[in-house]
Amino acid sequence: MTSVRKIYQRAIVTPTHHVEQLWRDYENFENSISRALVWYCLQPKKSTKRKRRKRKKNRKLDLEYLETENDFSICFLDNLEGENPEMFQAKGLVSEYQPKYNSARAVYRERKKYTDEIDWNMLAIPPSGSSKEEMQWMAWKKLLAFEKANPQRIDSASANKRIVFTYEQCLMFLYHYPDIWYEYATWHAKAGSVDSAIKVFQRALKALPDSEMLRYAYAELEESRGAIQAAKKVYESLFGDGSNASALSHIQFIRFLRRSEGVEAARKYFVDARKSPNCTYHVYVAYAMMAFCLDKDAKMAHNVFEAGLKRFMHEPGYILEYADFLYRLNDDRNIRALFERALSSLPPEESVEVWKKFTQFEQTYGDLASMLKVEQRRKEALSRTGDDGASELESSLHDVVSRYSFMDLWPCSSNDLDHLARQEWLARNINKKTDKPTLGIEAGSEDKTTSGVSSNTNPPAKVVYPDTSKMTVYDPRQIPGPAALAAPSASGTLPYSGPFSSNGPPIALNDILKSLPPAFAAFVANLPAVEGPSPDADFVISVCLQSNIPAATGKSGTASLPLQSGAAPSTSDLSDSSKFRPRDRQPGKRKDMDRQEDDESTTMQSQPLPRDLFKIRQLQKNRVTNSSRVTSSYTGSASYGSALSGDLSGSTS
């Protein structure tokens, strides 16, 4: 009975499957054996009266202690001599383990939410970037974070065992993920088990032998604990047979030798690394800056840069790094000489950044004459790469913006920068034959070009237009379905709806533009070409603001479009205009009615337009009613403008 009780009590505090059923079984077990009262004869050992009184006084405490620890072993009972019987009931044990069971059940339900998201049939394959693999990676990360929080509130040793178990489970599925291996090793190192972390790194390198990241992390761990030779072997493993060594591995090994063995060892290896076929200018820059910053040897650094200049004169990146080094030395004479030597050998298409650096140098160190001279030389050199060299040589306001800006401070606003960017792009492409230009402008961008703004000067080769074969004019009164296309209403169909016919083939864009009103056609013609269905709203608005769209006028022959609902003539213009004279008028009451309607419409037109959509619709309905009354007494035809504008936009007769 005692052994069964211990097993039950261990099971109900463990968050596992069917913990609720185990709790019910434990309650039944305690209730079944408690009905027959269990008697224990507890009597203290023979001792002095003083000790005996103390034992009698604390007997209840001893029993509670035994009950808490579930230690009802016979060995303990043998140490006591029976004096008075004590009774234990199941109610006390069940009430004691009830909170522990509730905690275990809550942890089990929380853990189950994370484990249910894991695909336990997933194969351990290298990551391909699919969404399913990313979801599994996130699910495992959540489970690991949950276990590291120690939700069961168990001791550190048991909690660490659970975390190790979870990591081992994770690696069964994410075996080819270097970040999981790295987190597993670093967790061991932070927990104080460096040997376990080293073993994890060794396993990781067997699983991912081509991962340089894990090798650097492994070498860093060995170096941090003082194992220099072990770390050196890890670095040497990056070189392989020597022909596959990358420039980065040479740089990191030079830095390691400088930290561990001193300056001479690093210099000796640098001399050998220069002979490597994979040695790039990065190795020269790294060693020169190490000698300058760590060894405080500016002469050595200058010699290294000069040695590399003979080999990497054609590399703009090396020229810029050498110029930065001379900047720190405040050696303006050698900086100018470096730029002159480099620009004389670099092709124009590769010298853009060098010219930019040269211009910035003159803005800092030179006077106004030298600044203007370098800028003119830069324009002449870069104009050879463009199609229109004459426009490149012209001075513009961009030169002033570039000359008088500093870091993120600009002599103009972001709107001015956007406007200048568009004007610059238009100036460069004014003679190019493009149907519809595209221009990308980022307002307030921090990464500016030499002119202070960024722009996209490559219009797309193919312009995609929407399929207009099935487009119809929107009419809220139209009937859904094909019948709506067959029977359009007289007042709700636009006069230029012909090009959007659903029966015929799609018509060319030029034909569509011809059928549009002049103002709307000018707006459409100024829209940019978009490679895809989603244009940039900000750019479209900028085009609209910068375009000169002619306004609709009331000249004869100008077609104007009535609104689909609420389009009506302006009765204020009908009443006073000398251009509109009705042929026949009815005397008496009809004249008074017309005058009253004119006065009402004039008052309505003189009021400011409401911003509420509901009020606008009510205003349109009233105007439609009034206009129908007025036009019924006239003969002839007229083309009217919008009911909101109140202007006549067509000829009247």
Side-chain angles (χ1 to χ4, degrees):
M1 180 188 64
T2 304
S3 300
V4 173
R5 180 181 284 112
K6 287 183 178 181
I7 296 299
Y8 267 122
Q9 290 172 352
R10 287 186 60 186
I12 60 178
V13 298
T14 304
T16 184
H17 297 291
H18 309 297
V19 66
E20 296 90 350
Q21 184 63 37
L22 288 173
W23 173 254
R24 290 192 292 268
D25 294 344
Y26 174 63
E27 285 184 324
N28 296 333
F29 168 76
E30 291 291 353
N31 292 329
S32 64
I33 66 173
S34 64
R35 292 188 179 131
L37 299 180
V38 181
W39 296 82
Y40 290 99
C41 295
L42 304 177
Q43 186 176 12
K45 290 183 178 181
K46 294 180 180 180
S47 58
T48 61
K49 294 181 179 180
R50 185 176 181 181
K51 293 182 178 180
R52 186 174 300 168
R53 291 195 197 97
K54 186 176 181 181
R55 175 66 67 181
K56 290 181 179 180
K57 184 178 180 180
N58 296 336
R59 182 180 298 133
K60 185 176 181 181
L61 181 60
D62 293 340
L63 293 176
E64 291 178 356
Y65 173 77
L66 295 175
E67 179 182 343
T68 303
E69 295 295 331
N70 304 314
D71 192 0
F72 298 96
S73 61
I74 300 176
C75 298
F76 187 84
L77 296 177
D78 290 342
N79 294 332
L80 301 176
E81 298 177 4
E83 184 180 18
N84 293 321
E86 298 289 347
M87 181 180 67
F88 294 95
Q89 297 182 359
K91 184 176 181 180
L93 292 174
V94 172
S95 61
E96 177 188 354
Y97 275 87
Q98 181 76 36
K100 299 179 181 179
Y101 156 71
N102 292 335
S103 177
R105 183 180 60 179
V107 172
Y108 164 71
R109 291 179 178 177
E110 186 71 17
R111 180 181 288 132
K112 191 174 184 297
K113 291 194 303 183
Y114 296 112
T115 55
D116 289 345
E117 297 179 1
I118 296 175
D119 182 11
W120 300 97
N121 296 322
M122 179 181 175
L123 298 178
I125 59 176
S128 60
S130 63
S131 59
K132 180 180 179 181
E133 292 176 351
E134 292 178 354
M135 295 298 294
Q136 289 300 302
W137 180 85
M138 293 175 60
W140 277 110
K141 296 283 286 186
K142 292 178 182 178
L143 180 59
L144 288 169
F146 174 77
E147 293 296 343
K148 289 178 181 179
N150 191 10
Q152 297 179 230
R153 300 296 183 266
I154 55 180
D155 58 286
S156 299
S158 301
N160 290 341
K161 289 181 180 179
R162 286 208 60 87
I163 296 173
V164 170
F165 172 74
T166 309
Y167 266 116
E168 293 293 339
Q169 275 191 319
C170 179
L171 289 174
M172 293 174 63
F173 303 92
L174 306 182
Y175 187 73
H176 297 279
Y177 285 69
D179 56 322
I180 302 298
W181 287 104
Y182 176 74
E183 290 183 8
Y184 189 18
T186 52
W187 175 82
H188 271 301
K190 291 180 180 179
S193 179
V194 181
D195 295 335
S196 300
I198 291 175
K199 292 180 181 179
V200 172
F201 271 125
Q202 292 174 353
R203 291 172 54 192
L205 293 179
K206 292 181 180 179
L208 302 170
D210 298 332
S211 178
E212 292 188 12
M213 300 181 294
L214 293 177
R215 292 186 184 275
Y216 289 130
Y218 180 27
E220 181 180 293
L221 180 62
E222 293 283 9
E223 185 181 357
S224 63
R225 70 167 189 162
I228 303 300
Q229 295 301 323
K232 189 174 182 179
K233 290 182 180 179
V234 177
Y235 278 109
E236 291 175 350
S237 64
L238 290 167
F239 303 143
D241 55 357
S243 60
N244 298 328
S246 61
L248 181 60
S249 61
H250 288 303
I251 294 173
Q252 298 301 333
F253 191 51
I254 290 174
R255 292 180 176 178
F256 168 74
L257 292 176
R258 171 65 177 75
R259 294 192 303 265
S260 59
E261 299 183 10
V263 180
E264 291 298 326
R267 184 188 64 81
K268 183 178 179 180
Y269 183 78
F270 170 70
V271 174
D272 296 336
R274 293 169 56 186
K275 304 175 184 178
S276 174
N278 296 328
C279 179
T280 61
Y281 73 89
H282 304 86
V283 180
Y284 283 82
V285 173
Y287 183 74
M289 297 309 298
M290 185 178 64
F292 178 67
C293 298
L294 300 180
D295 302 335
K296 312 300 180 183
D297 192 350
K299 183 178 180 181
M300 174 64 71
H302 191 274
N303 294 336
V304 172
F305 271 116
E306 282 295 328
L309 191 62
K310 300 176 182 178
R311 184 176 176 182
F312 303 107
M313 179 66 77
H314 62 283
E315 293 286 350
Y318 186 77
I319 302 300
L320 297 177
E321 292 294 336
Y322 192 7
D324 289 336
F325 168 72
L326 295 177
Y327 264 108
R328 298 185 181 185
L329 296 181
N330 201 19
D331 192 355
D332 55 338
R333 180 178 300 178
N334 285 329
I335 293 177
R336 286 192 177 92
L338 172 65
F339 282 132
E340 295 295 344
R341 292 169 59 189
L343 293 173
S344 61
S345 60
L346 286 175
E349 60 272 6
E350 297 181 5
S351 62
V352 177
E353 293 298 327
V354 180
W355 276 113
K356 178 181 177 182
K357 195 75 173 180
F358 195 11
T359 306
Q360 293 175 353
F361 164 76
E362 290 296 342
Q363 292 173 1
T364 305
Y365 287 87
D367 52 9
L368 182 60
S370 61
M371 288 166 49
L372 298 177
K373 182 178 179 181
V374 170
E375 288 182 0
Q376 186 64 26
R377 289 178 55 193
R378 171 179 171 272
K379 290 181 179 181
E380 293 175 357
L382 298 183
S383 63
R384 303 168 191 169
T385 61
D387 297 335
D388 190 4
S391 62
E392 296 288 342
L393 296 177
E394 296 179 359
S395 299
S396 64
L397 199 57
H398 292 282
D399 301 333
V400 179
V401 173
S402 175
R403 198 176 301 138
Y404 291 96
S405 62
F406 181 76
M407 297 179 66
D408 58 342
L409 304 178
W410 303 91
C412 56
S413 63
S414 59
N415 294 333
D416 295 335
L417 290 177
D418 295 340
H419 178 74
L420 290 175
R422 175 170 176 79
Q423 299 304 325
E424 181 185 19
W425 186 89
L426 292 175
R428 285 199 303 265
N429 298 273
I430 192 171
N431 295 326
K432 294 183 179 180
K433 296 180 179 180
T434 55
D435 295 335
K436 284 182 176 290
T438 56
L439 175 62
I441 301 175
E442 296 184 15
S445 176
E446 297 181 359
D447 186 14
K448 307 294 182 181
T449 59
T450 55
S451 61
V453 287
S454 61
S455 60
N456 179 18
T457 59
N458 297 324
K462 182 180 179 181
V463 179
V464 179
Y465 295 102
D467 184 10
T468 59
S469 60
K470 294 185 172 146
M471 284 187 176
T472 57
V473 179
Y474 172 73
D475 186 358
R477 296 170 296 177
Q478 67 184 3
I479 304 174
L485 301 177
S489 61
S491 61
T493 304
L494 296 177
Y496 57 91
S497 60
F500 301 100
S501 175
S502 60
N503 298 326
I507 304 176
L509 181 63
N510 294 332
D511 298 333
I512 297 176
L513 293 177
K514 291 178 181 178
S515 63
L516 296 176
F520 188 59
F523 169 75
V524 173
N526 286 320
L527 289 178
V530 178
E531 188 71 20
S534 300
D536 187 358
D538 295 336
F539 175 64
V540 174
I541 294 174
S542 66
V543 171
C544 297
L545 294 177
Q546 298 178 15
S547 300
N548 186 14
I549 301 177
T553 59
K555 296 179 180 180
S556 60
T558 304
S560 180
L561 307 177
L563 290 178
Q564 295 169 5
S565 61
S570 175
T571 56
S572 61
D573 293 339
L574 291 175
S575 59
D576 298 330
S577 176
S578 60
K579 297 180 181 180
F580 192 91
R581 295 293 182 183
R583 297 179 180 177
D584 298 328
R585 278 186 173 272
Q586 297 179 359
K589 295 182 180 180
R590 184 61 185 173
K591 182 184 298 184
D592 298 335
M593 184 183 300
D594 293 342
R595 183 179 296 105
Q596 181 179 2
E597 290 173 351
D598 293 344
D599 295 338
E600 291 177 358
S601 62
T602 304
T603 305
M604 185 181 301
Q605 288 289 342
S606 62
Q607 295 178 356
L609 293 177
R611 295 182 177 272
D612 190 5
L613 183 61
F614 177 77
K615 293 182 180 180
I616 292 176
R617 291 179 178 175
Q618 294 296 328
L619 180 62
Q620 292 175 351
K621 290 181 181 179
N622 294 334
R623 291 179 179 179
V624 169
T625 305
N626 296 335
S627 63
S628 62
R629 295 175 181 176
V630 175
T631 54
S632 61
S633 60
Y634 303 135
T635 59
S637 60
S639 177
Y640 298 102
S642 173
L644 298 179
S645 63
D647 297 330
L648 284 173
S649 60
S651 60
T652 59
S653 60

